[in-house]
Amino acid sequence: MIDLHNARILICNDDGIDAPGIKLLESLARQFSDDVWVVAPSIEQSGAGHSLTLRRPLRIHQRDERHFAVDGTPTDCILLALQVIMRETPPDVVFSGINRGGNLGEDVTYSGTVAAAMESALLNVPAIAFSQYFSQKMISWDIARAHLTNVVTLLVKAEWPRNVLINVNFPEKEREGGAKIRITRQGQRKIGDHVAERQDPHGEPYYWIGAIRSELPEDENADLHVIEKGDISVTPIGLDFTDNVTLEKLTKAFQ
């Protein structure tokens, strides 16, 4: 079990090192430990997924003793943190976020916030991704601020395998009586057509990929459903994407 009060905590995100969510996460992490490090993208990298920068050099900009901005993706940040910046003093746990917006359902495949946690887990460091869902123009961080430390405390006590990352989403509004922590599965949803075509001043077309809208899944234990009901979603995500049922079926078919 991670000893949070003596832990070295690494914080990353995909909204950028100056985003309000990462500043809140750092302040909450300091309630556990004084040994908190931040290595995050210089600018917003939302939607970067689990991408690596391979065709240009990366630069690390040190802001102070424990704050570093990287001109790359969240995955780049974790790699540089573990293999360069903190090589002699590796972290005990990685916190990623708090993302501005939910990472639910298929979002986890696009999310740089989840990808940072995934890269950490691949490198054998326990990791939790945090996201604050919102649907209005203005986001409130109050629910994440109120519940995050309790969620972390309970997760650490329960423990989880090193080849699993934890994806935590906070609802926009709490249910009547207060948000409950629910252990959920990754939901699935119908993705609509949200590509908007426009024309530039020269008459040439360009395209905006808009926000993804979703329909609630029938499964009441799905992350999307739980967030909509005003509870906190905690989803364990495995690094092995193999579908074992299909694996067995195909193995028999090709014998």
Tab-separated table of all heavy atoms in Angstrom, residues 186-242:
chain	number	residue	atom	x	y	z
A	186	GLN	N	-16.356	1.094	-17.964
A	186	GLN	CA	-16.307	2.061	-19.061
A	186	GLN	C	-17.560	1.916	-19.911
A	186	GLN	O	-17.902	0.834	-20.360
A	186	GLN	CB	-15.064	1.829	-19.924
A	186	GLN	CG	-14.935	2.807	-21.086
A	186	GLN	CD	-13.778	2.448	-22.000
A	186	GLN	OE1	-12.840	1.772	-21.579
A	186	GLN	NE2	-13.837	2.869	-23.245
A	187	GLY	N	-18.267	3.019	-20.093
A	187	GLY	CA	-19.505	2.984	-20.858
A	187	GLY	C	-19.260	3.008	-22.355
A	187	GLY	O	-18.159	3.286	-22.834
A	188	GLN	N	-20.307	2.719	-23.087
A	188	GLN	CA	-20.298	2.838	-24.543
A	188	GLN	C	-21.447	3.742	-24.934
A	188	GLN	O	-22.503	3.742	-24.305
A	188	GLN	CB	-20.454	1.469	-25.209
A	188	GLN	CG	-19.260	0.559	-24.984
A	188	GLN	CD	-19.427	-0.767	-25.704
A	188	GLN	OE1	-20.541	-1.237	-25.915
A	188	GLN	NE2	-18.313	-1.364	-26.078
A	189	ARG	N	-21.252	4.488	-25.998
A	189	ARG	CA	-22.284	5.435	-26.382
A	189	ARG	C	-22.336	5.596	-27.889
A	189	ARG	O	-21.377	5.270	-28.590
A	189	ARG	CB	-22.038	6.785	-25.726
A	189	ARG	CG	-20.687	7.382	-26.055
A	189	ARG	CD	-20.439	8.592	-25.221
A	189	ARG	NE	-19.093	9.105	-25.442
A	189	ARG	CZ	-18.622	10.170	-24.830
A	189	ARG	NH1	-19.346	10.814	-23.963
A	189	ARG	NH2	-17.394	10.584	-25.064
A	190	LYS	N	-23.440	6.114	-28.358
A	190	LYS	CA	-23.623	6.363	-29.775
A	190	LYS	C	-22.962	7.697	-30.121
A	190	LYS	O	-23.304	8.735	-29.571
A	190	LYS	CB	-25.110	6.417	-30.104
A	190	LYS	CG	-25.417	6.655	-31.578
A	190	LYS	CD	-26.926	6.627	-31.778
A	190	LYS	CE	-27.301	6.798	-33.240
A	190	LYS	NZ	-27.031	8.154	-33.728
A	191	ILE	N	-22.002	7.658	-31.022
A	191	ILE	CA	-21.299	8.866	-31.426
A	191	ILE	C	-21.970	9.429	-32.678
A	191	ILE	O	-22.101	8.751	-33.691
A	191	ILE	CB	-19.807	8.587	-31.697
A	191	ILE	CG1	-19.157	8.062	-30.415
A	191	ILE	CG2	-19.108	9.843	-32.185
A	191	ILE	CD1	-17.715	7.709	-30.585
A	192	GLY	N	-22.406	10.672	-32.611
A	192	GLY	CA	-23.102	11.289	-33.733
A	192	GLY	C	-22.160	11.999	-34.686
A	192	GLY	O	-20.936	11.972	-34.544
A	193	ASP	N	-22.738	12.668	-35.664
A	193	ASP	CA	-21.972	13.403	-36.669
A	193	ASP	C	-21.829	14.841	-36.192
A	193	ASP	O	-22.776	15.626	-36.247
A	193	ASP	CB	-22.704	13.339	-38.011
A	193	ASP	CG	-21.969	14.098	-39.103
A	193	ASP	OD1	-20.844	14.564	-38.831
A	193	ASP	OD2	-22.511	14.226	-40.207
A	194	HIS	N	-20.622	15.205	-35.737
A	194	HIS	CA	-20.402	16.545	-35.201
A	194	HIS	C	-19.213	17.226	-35.887
A	194	HIS	O	-18.441	17.930	-35.257
A	194	HIS	CB	-20.180	16.483	-33.691
A	194	HIS	CG	-21.386	15.997	-32.946
A	194	HIS	ND1	-22.512	16.763	-32.759
A	194	HIS	CD2	-21.645	14.808	-32.380
A	194	HIS	CE1	-23.409	16.077	-32.085
A	194	HIS	NE2	-22.917	14.885	-31.841
A	195	VAL	N	-19.058	16.976	-37.182
A	195	VAL	CA	-18.030	17.647	-37.955
A	195	VAL	C	-18.690	18.798	-38.708
A	195	VAL	O	-19.612	18.600	-39.500
A	195	VAL	CB	-17.347	16.685	-38.949
A	195	VAL	CG1	-16.319	17.431	-39.797
A	195	VAL	CG2	-16.676	15.538	-38.201
A	196	ALA	N	-18.243	20.016	-38.439
A	196	ALA	CA	-18.831	21.212	-39.054
A	196	ALA	C	-17.918	21.726	-40.168
A	196	ALA	O	-16.714	21.877	-39.974
A	196	ALA	CB	-19.037	22.294	-38.008
A	197	GLU	N	-18.486	21.978	-41.334
A	197	GLU	CA	-17.718	22.494	-42.465
A	197	GLU	C	-17.913	24.000	-42.583
A	197	GLU	O	-19.031	24.511	-42.453
A	197	GLU	CB	-18.161	21.816	-43.766
A	197	GLU	CG	-17.384	22.296	-44.989
A	197	GLU	CD	-17.774	21.572	-46.268
A	197	GLU	OE1	-18.497	20.557	-46.174
A	197	GLU	OE2	-17.352	22.015	-47.352
A	198	ARG	N	-16.810	24.711	-42.809
A	198	ARG	CA	-16.842	26.156	-43.013
A	198	ARG	C	-15.985	26.498	-44.234
A	198	ARG	O	-15.334	25.628	-44.816
A	198	ARG	CB	-16.286	26.890	-41.781
A	198	ARG	CG	-17.046	26.625	-40.493
A	198	ARG	CD	-18.384	27.345	-40.468
A	198	ARG	NE	-19.024	27.220	-39.167
A	198	ARG	CZ	-19.845	26.251	-38.822
A	198	ARG	NH1	-20.123	25.288	-39.705
A	198	ARG	NH2	-20.395	26.211	-37.617
A	199	GLN	N	-15.984	27.772	-44.619
A	199	GLN	CA	-15.135	28.233	-45.714
A	199	GLN	C	-14.270	29.388	-45.244
A	199	GLN	O	-14.740	30.266	-44.502
A	199	GLN	CB	-15.973	28.680	-46.906
A	199	GLN	CG	-16.614	27.517	-47.671
A	199	GLN	CD	-17.253	27.980	-48.966
A	199	GLN	OE1	-17.534	29.159	-49.134
A	199	GLN	NE2	-17.472	27.050	-49.886
A	200	ASP	N	-12.998	29.389	-45.676
A	200	ASP	CA	-12.113	30.498	-45.347
A	200	ASP	C	-12.367	31.658	-46.315
A	200	ASP	O	-13.187	31.539	-47.235
A	200	ASP	CB	-10.651	30.048	-45.349
A	200	ASP	CG	-10.133	29.656	-46.732
A	200	ASP	OD1	-10.745	30.047	-47.751
A	200	ASP	OD2	-9.099	28.961	-46.790
A	201	PRO	N	-11.701	32.817	-46.132
A	201	PRO	CA	-11.949	33.971	-47.007
A	201	PRO	C	-11.676	33.709	-48.485
A	201	PRO	O	-12.154	34.457	-49.356
A	201	PRO	CB	-11.001	35.036	-46.446
A	201	PRO	CG	-10.844	34.668	-45.013
A	201	PRO	CD	-10.847	33.173	-44.991
A	202	HIS	N	-10.918	32.648	-48.797
A	202	HIS	CA	-10.613	32.314	-50.189
A	202	HIS	C	-11.576	31.286	-50.759
A	202	HIS	O	-11.393	30.810	-51.881
A	202	HIS	CB	-9.183	31.784	-50.290
A	202	HIS	CG	-8.148	32.745	-49.785
A	202	HIS	ND1	-7.771	33.881	-50.475
A	202	HIS	CD2	-7.423	32.754	-48.636
A	202	HIS	CE1	-6.855	34.536	-49.783
A	202	HIS	NE2	-6.626	33.876	-48.653
A	203	GLY	N	-12.586	30.939	-49.967
A	203	GLY	CA	-13.560	29.985	-50.443
A	203	GLY	C	-13.172	28.527	-50.281
A	203	GLY	O	-13.878	27.630	-50.738
A	204	GLU	N	-12.048	28.279	-49.604
A	204	GLU	CA	-11.594	26.910	-49.395
A	204	GLU	C	-12.234	26.328	-48.136
A	204	GLU	O	-12.370	27.017	-47.122
A	204	GLU	CB	-10.069	26.869	-49.252
A	204	GLU	CG	-9.314	27.320	-50.494
A	204	GLU	CD	-9.519	26.383	-51.657
A	204	GLU	OE1	-9.688	25.165	-51.410
A	204	GLU	OE2	-9.519	26.853	-52.809
A	205	PRO	N	-12.644	25.073	-48.197
A	205	PRO	CA	-13.307	24.475	-47.033
A	205	PRO	C	-12.328	24.131	-45.909
A	205	PRO	O	-11.159	23.811	-46.155
A	205	PRO	CB	-13.943	23.205	-47.603
A	205	PRO	CG	-13.064	22.831	-48.753
A	205	PRO	CD	-12.587	24.133	-49.336
A	206	TYR	N	-12.817	24.255	-44.677
A	206	TYR	CA	-12.090	23.725	-43.526
A	206	TYR	C	-13.120	23.136	-42.579
A	206	TYR	O	-14.332	23.343	-42.741
A	206	TYR	CB	-11.233	24.793	-42.836
A	206	TYR	CG	-12.006	25.920	-42.189
A	206	TYR	CD1	-12.415	25.850	-40.852
A	206	TYR	CD2	-12.327	27.067	-42.905
A	206	TYR	CE1	-13.114	26.887	-40.260
A	206	TYR	CE2	-13.033	28.108	-42.319
A	206	TYR	CZ	-13.420	28.015	-40.997
A	206	TYR	OH	-14.124	29.028	-40.409
A	207	TYR	N	-12.635	22.375	-41.587
A	207	TYR	CA	-13.550	21.586	-40.768
A	207	TYR	C	-13.219	21.719	-39.293
A	207	TYR	O	-12.055	21.778	-38.904
A	207	TYR	CB	-13.482	20.103	-41.173
A	207	TYR	CG	-13.811	19.883	-42.634
A	207	TYR	CD1	-12.793	19.944	-43.592
A	207	TYR	CD2	-15.111	19.669	-43.050
A	207	TYR	CE1	-13.087	19.784	-44.938
A	207	TYR	CE2	-15.415	19.499	-44.391
A	207	TYR	CZ	-14.393	19.563	-45.341
A	207	TYR	OH	-14.683	19.413	-46.659
A	208	TRP	N	-14.274	21.779	-38.464
A	208	TRP	CA	-14.147	21.734	-37.015
A	208	TRP	C	-14.739	20.424	-36.540
A	208	TRP	O	-15.878	20.083	-36.874
A	208	TRP	CB	-14.915	22.875	-36.363
A	208	TRP	CG	-14.200	24.199	-36.338
A	208	TRP	CD1	-14.466	25.293	-37.106
A	208	TRP	CD2	-13.121	24.570	-35.482
A	208	TRP	NE1	-13.615	26.315	-36.792
A	208	TRP	CE2	-12.775	25.898	-35.788
A	208	TRP	CE3	-12.407	23.904	-34.482
A	208	TRP	CZ2	-11.764	26.582	-35.146
A	208	TRP	CZ3	-11.394	24.585	-33.836
A	208	TRP	CH2	-11.077	25.903	-34.163
A	209	ILE	N	-13.964	19.686	-35.728
A	209	ILE	CA	-14.514	18.519	-35.058
A	209	ILE	C	-15.087	18.996	-33.737
A	209	ILE	O	-14.360	19.479	-32.869
A	209	ILE	CB	-13.444	17.434	-34.833
A	209	ILE	CG1	-12.915	16.942	-36.185
A	209	ILE	CG2	-14.015	16.271	-34.019
A	209	ILE	CD1	-11.798	15.919	-36.070
A	210	GLY	N	-16.396	18.893	-33.584
A	210	GLY	CA	-17.059	19.449	-32.427
A	210	GLY	C	-17.103	18.502	-31.255
A	210	GLY	O	-16.545	17.400	-31.286
A	211	ALA	N	-17.780	18.940	-30.202
A	211	ALA	CA	-17.913	18.119	-29.000
A	211	ALA	C	-18.745	16.883	-29.295
A	211	ALA	O	-19.663	16.904	-30.117
A	211	ALA	CB	-18.560	18.935	-27.891
A	212	ILE	N	-18.401	15.791	-28.637
A	212	ILE	CA	-19.136	14.543	-28.793
A	212	ILE	C	-20.319	14.538	-27.842
A	212	ILE	O	-20.165	14.743	-26.645
A	212	ILE	CB	-18.214	13.333	-28.508
A	212	ILE	CG1	-17.082	13.291	-29.523
A	212	ILE	CG2	-19.014	12.036	-28.549
A	212	ILE	CD1	-16.056	12.228	-29.217
A	213	ARG	N	-21.509	14.313	-28.372
A	213	ARG	CA	-22.701	14.184	-27.539
A	213	ARG	C	-23.010	12.705	-27.383
A	213	ARG	O	-22.696	11.898	-28.241
A	213	ARG	CB	-23.893	14.913	-28.172
A	213	ARG	CG	-23.620	16.392	-28.400
A	213	ARG	CD	-23.256	17.096	-27.098
A	213	ARG	NE	-22.962	18.498	-27.306
A	213	ARG	CZ	-22.294	19.244	-26.459
A	213	ARG	NH1	-21.828	18.712	-25.353
A	213	ARG	NH2	-22.056	20.506	-26.706
A	214	SER	N	-23.628	12.359	-26.309
A	214	SER	CA	-23.823	10.939	-26.031
A	214	SER	C	-25.233	10.638	-25.565
A	214	SER	O	-25.949	11.519	-25.085
A	214	SER	CB	-22.838	10.465	-24.957
A	214	SER	OG	-23.103	11.118	-23.743
A	215	GLU	N	-25.597	9.382	-25.723
A	215	GLU	CA	-26.821	8.866	-25.145
A	215	GLU	C	-26.441	8.011	-23.952
A	215	GLU	O	-25.442	7.292	-23.986
A	215	GLU	CB	-27.574	8.017	-26.174
A	215	GLU	CG	-28.038	8.816	-27.388
A	215	GLU	CD	-28.688	7.926	-28.428
A	215	GLU	OE1	-28.639	6.692	-28.252
A	215	GLU	OE2	-29.229	8.469	-29.407
A	216	LEU	N	-27.232	8.081	-22.893
A	216	LEU	CA	-26.911	7.289	-21.713
A	216	LEU	C	-26.996	5.803	-22.028
A	216	LEU	O	-27.942	5.356	-22.674
A	216	LEU	CB	-27.877	7.615	-20.577
A	216	LEU	CG	-27.619	8.894	-19.795
A	216	LEU	CD1	-28.673	9.034	-18.708
A	216	LEU	CD2	-26.235	8.906	-19.194
A	217	PRO	N	-26.015	5.007	-21.583
A	217	PRO	CA	-26.097	3.559	-21.777
A	217	PRO	C	-27.162	2.952	-20.866
A	217	PRO	O	-27.557	3.548	-19.866
A	217	PRO	CB	-24.696	3.087	-21.363
A	217	PRO	CG	-24.229	4.116	-20.388
A	217	PRO	CD	-24.814	5.415	-20.857
A	218	GLU	N	-27.629	1.788	-21.249
A	218	GLU	CA	-28.626	1.116	-20.419
A	218	GLU	C	-28.016	0.599	-19.122
A	218	GLU	O	-28.709	0.456	-18.119
A	218	GLU	CB	-29.257	-0.043	-21.212
A	218	GLU	CG	-30.083	0.426	-22.413
A	218	GLU	CD	-30.715	-0.736	-23.142
A	218	GLU	OE1	-30.545	-1.892	-22.691
A	218	GLU	OE2	-31.383	-0.492	-24.161
A	219	ASP	N	-26.728	0.303	-19.143
A	219	ASP	CA	-26.048	-0.233	-17.969
A	219	ASP	C	-25.929	0.848	-16.894
A	219	ASP	O	-25.225	1.839	-17.070
A	219	ASP	CB	-24.662	-0.743	-18.378
A	219	ASP	CG	-23.930	-1.427	-17.234
A	219	ASP	OD1	-24.440	-1.411	-16.100
A	219	ASP	OD2	-22.838	-1.979	-17.483
A	220	GLU	N	-26.598	0.649	-15.778
A	220	GLU	CA	-26.572	1.657	-14.711
A	220	GLU	C	-25.225	1.720	-14.002
A	220	GLU	O	-24.988	2.649	-13.229
A	220	GLU	CB	-27.689	1.378	-13.705
A	220	GLU	CG	-29.080	1.585	-14.279
A	220	GLU	CD	-30.166	1.477	-13.231
A	220	GLU	OE1	-29.827	1.204	-12.052
A	220	GLU	OE2	-31.341	1.681	-13.579
A	221	ASN	N	-24.345	0.740	-14.241
A	221	ASN	CA	-23.003	0.747	-13.652
A	221	ASN	C	-21.967	1.357	-14.596
A	221	ASN	O	-20.775	1.330	-14.288
A	221	ASN	CB	-22.581	-0.674	-13.269
A	221	ASN	CG	-23.397	-1.207	-12.102
A	221	ASN	OD1	-23.655	-0.492	-11.144
A	221	ASN	ND2	-23.797	-2.468	-12.194
A	222	ALA	N	-22.417	1.879	-15.732
A	222	ALA	CA	-21.499	2.518	-16.667
A	222	ALA	C	-21.141	3.920	-16.171
A	222	ALA	O	-21.950	4.606	-15.552
A	222	ALA	CB	-22.116	2.596	-18.057
A	223	ASP	N	-19.905	4.348	-16.461
A	223	ASP	CA	-19.427	5.647	-15.986
A	223	ASP	C	-20.335	6.795	-16.427
A	223	ASP	O	-20.657	7.692	-15.646
A	223	ASP	CB	-17.972	5.894	-16.421
A	223	ASP	CG	-17.725	5.686	-17.918
A	223	ASP	OD1	-18.700	5.539	-18.684
A	223	ASP	OD2	-16.542	5.666	-18.308
A	224	LEU	N	-20.781	6.779	-17.681
A	224	LEU	CA	-21.633	7.842	-18.195
A	224	LEU	C	-22.929	7.969	-17.407
A	224	LEU	O	-23.386	9.070	-17.085
A	224	LEU	CB	-21.963	7.560	-19.666
A	224	LEU	CG	-20.794	7.638	-20.654
A	224	LEU	CD1	-21.047	6.716	-21.828
A	224	LEU	CD2	-20.585	9.056	-21.118
A	225	HIS	N	-23.522	6.841	-17.095
A	225	HIS	CA	-24.793	6.830	-16.367
A	225	HIS	C	-24.602	7.351	-14.942
A	225	HIS	O	-25.405	8.148	-14.444
A	225	HIS	CB	-25.352	5.407	-16.340
A	225	HIS	CG	-26.763	5.320	-15.858
A	225	HIS	ND1	-27.836	5.225	-16.709
A	225	HIS	CD2	-27.281	5.355	-14.603
A	225	HIS	CE1	-28.948	5.182	-16.011
A	225	HIS	NE2	-28.641	5.252	-14.725
A	226	VAL	N	-23.548	6.912	-14.294
A	226	VAL	CA	-23.296	7.287	-12.903
A	226	VAL	C	-23.039	8.789	-12.768
A	226	VAL	O	-23.565	9.444	-11.857
A	226	VAL	CB	-22.103	6.472	-12.345
A	226	VAL	CG1	-21.589	7.063	-11.043
A	226	VAL	CG2	-22.529	5.016	-12.140
A	227	ILE	N	-22.271	9.360	-13.685
A	227	ILE	CA	-22.006	10.799	-13.659
A	227	ILE	C	-23.298	11.587	-13.864
A	227	ILE	O	-23.557	12.596	-13.201
A	227	ILE	CB	-20.961	11.163	-14.732
A	227	ILE	CG1	-19.568	10.703	-14.299
A	227	ILE	CG2	-20.961	12.663	-15.017
A	227	ILE	CD1	-19.044	11.388	-13.055
A	228	GLU	N	-24.136	11.121	-14.786
A	228	GLU	CA	-25.402	11.803	-15.059
A	228	GLU	C	-26.305	11.810	-13.832
A	228	GLU	O	-27.073	12.756	-13.626
A	228	GLU	CB	-26.102	11.122	-16.239
A	228	GLU	CG	-27.350	11.831	-16.717
A	228	GLU	CD	-27.069	13.158	-17.395
A	228	GLU	OE1	-25.918	13.381	-17.840
A	228	GLU	OE2	-27.997	13.983	-17.466
A	229	LYS	N	-26.191	10.784	-13.005
A	229	LYS	CA	-27.028	10.680	-11.807
A	229	LYS	C	-26.463	11.462	-10.624
A	229	LYS	O	-27.059	11.510	-9.559
A	229	LYS	CB	-27.214	9.211	-11.428
A	229	LYS	CG	-27.946	8.401	-12.480
A	229	LYS	CD	-29.332	8.972	-12.783
A	229	LYS	CE	-30.060	8.154	-13.832
A	229	LYS	NZ	-31.371	8.722	-14.184
A	230	GLY	N	-25.279	12.065	-10.803
A	230	GLY	CA	-24.726	12.909	-9.747
A	230	GLY	C	-23.812	12.197	-8.779
A	230	GLY	O	-23.573	12.681	-7.667
A	231	ASP	N	-23.263	11.045	-9.185
A	231	ASP	CA	-22.310	10.324	-8.349
A	231	ASP	C	-20.909	10.401	-8.940
A	231	ASP	O	-20.709	10.839	-10.076
A	231	ASP	CB	-22.735	8.857	-8.195
A	231	ASP	CG	-23.930	8.690	-7.275
A	231	ASP	OD1	-24.070	9.507	-6.341
A	231	ASP	OD2	-24.715	7.756	-7.485
A	232	ILE	N	-19.927	9.972	-8.164
A	232	ILE	CA	-18.521	9.971	-8.578
A	232	ILE	C	-18.199	8.617	-9.190
A	232	ILE	O	-18.465	7.569	-8.596
A	232	ILE	CB	-17.603	10.247	-7.381
A	232	ILE	CG1	-17.901	11.624	-6.789
A	232	ILE	CG2	-16.132	10.145	-7.788
A	232	ILE	CD1	-17.338	11.828	-5.400
A	233	SER	N	-17.640	8.629	-10.382
A	233	SER	CA	-17.317	7.402	-11.108
A	233	SER	C	-15.843	7.043	-10.931
A	233	SER	O	-14.963	7.866	-11.183
A	233	SER	CB	-17.624	7.577	-12.599
A	233	SER	OG	-17.104	6.496	-13.354
A	234	VAL	N	-15.578	5.801	-10.492
A	234	VAL	CA	-14.217	5.287	-10.341
A	234	VAL	C	-14.114	4.016	-11.185
A	234	VAL	O	-14.749	3.012	-10.879
A	234	VAL	CB	-13.893	4.975	-8.867
A	234	VAL	CG1	-12.509	4.353	-8.739
A	234	VAL	CG2	-13.988	6.242	-8.026
A	235	THR	N	-13.337	4.088	-12.260
A	235	THR	CA	-13.255	2.990	-13.216
A	235	THR	C	-11.835	2.443	-13.303
A	235	THR	O	-10.912	3.184	-13.653
A	235	THR	CB	-13.683	3.454	-14.621
A	235	THR	OG1	-14.938	4.133	-14.545
A	235	THR	CG2	-13.786	2.268	-15.576
A	236	PRO	N	-11.625	1.161	-13.003
A	236	PRO	CA	-10.315	0.552	-13.231
A	236	PRO	C	-10.158	0.202	-14.705
A	236	PRO	O	-11.032	-0.415	-15.314
A	236	PRO	CB	-10.368	-0.718	-12.365
A	236	PRO	CG	-11.822	-1.054	-12.264
A	236	PRO	CD	-12.587	0.231	-12.374
A	237	ILE	N	-9.059	0.625	-15.300
A	237	ILE	CA	-8.809	0.392	-16.720
A	237	ILE	C	-7.550	-0.451	-16.873
A	237	ILE	O	-6.460	-0.046	-16.460
A	237	ILE	CB	-8.653	1.721	-17.488
A	237	ILE	CG1	-9.962	2.525	-17.390
A	237	ILE	CG2	-8.278	1.469	-18.942
A	237	ILE	CD1	-9.888	3.876	-18.049
A	238	GLY	N	-7.691	-1.614	-17.482
A	238	GLY	CA	-6.556	-2.512	-17.683
A	238	GLY	C	-5.739	-2.115	-18.899
A	238	GLY	O	-6.257	-1.544	-19.866
A	239	LEU	N	-4.465	-2.433	-18.875
A	239	LEU	CA	-3.577	-2.105	-19.989
A	239	LEU	C	-3.614	-3.161	-21.088
A	239	LEU	O	-3.162	-2.913	-22.205
A	239	LEU	CB	-2.143	-1.941	-19.484
A	239	LEU	CG	-1.924	-0.854	-18.432
A	239	LEU	CD1	-0.457	-0.769	-18.062
A	239	LEU	CD2	-2.440	0.493	-18.921
A	240	ASP	N	-4.126	-4.349	-20.782
A	240	ASP	CA	-4.234	-5.419	-21.772
A	240	ASP	C	-5.582	-5.298	-22.470
A	240	ASP	O	-6.628	-5.538	-21.872
A	240	ASP	CB	-4.097	-6.781	-21.083
A	240	ASP	CG	-4.113	-7.935	-22.070
A	240	ASP	OD1	-4.331	-7.692	-23.281
A	240	ASP	OD2	-3.907	-9.085	-21.635
A	241	PHE	N	-5.567	-4.914	-23.757
A	241	PHE	CA	-6.808	-4.711	-24.500
A	241	PHE	C	-7.351	-5.994	-25.133
A	241	PHE	O	-8.352	-5.966	-25.839
A	241	PHE	CB	-6.593	-3.690	-25.623
A	241	PHE	CG	-6.278	-2.293	-25.142
A	241	PHE	CD1	-5.796	-1.343	-26.020
A	241	PHE	CD2	-6.462	-1.931	-23.822
A	241	PHE	CE1	-5.504	-0.055	-25.605
A	241	PHE	CE2	-6.175	-0.655	-23.377
A	241	PHE	CZ	-5.699	0.293	-24.273
A	242	THR	N	-6.685	-7.099	-24.893
A	242	THR	CA	-7.104	-8.353	-25.513
A	242	THR	C	-8.516	-8.737	-25.093
A	242	THR	O	-8.847	-8.729	-23.908
A	242	THR	CB	-6.152	-9.500	-25.119
A	242	THR	OG1	-4.818	-9.125	-25.414
A	242	THR	CG2	-6.500	-10.779	-25.871
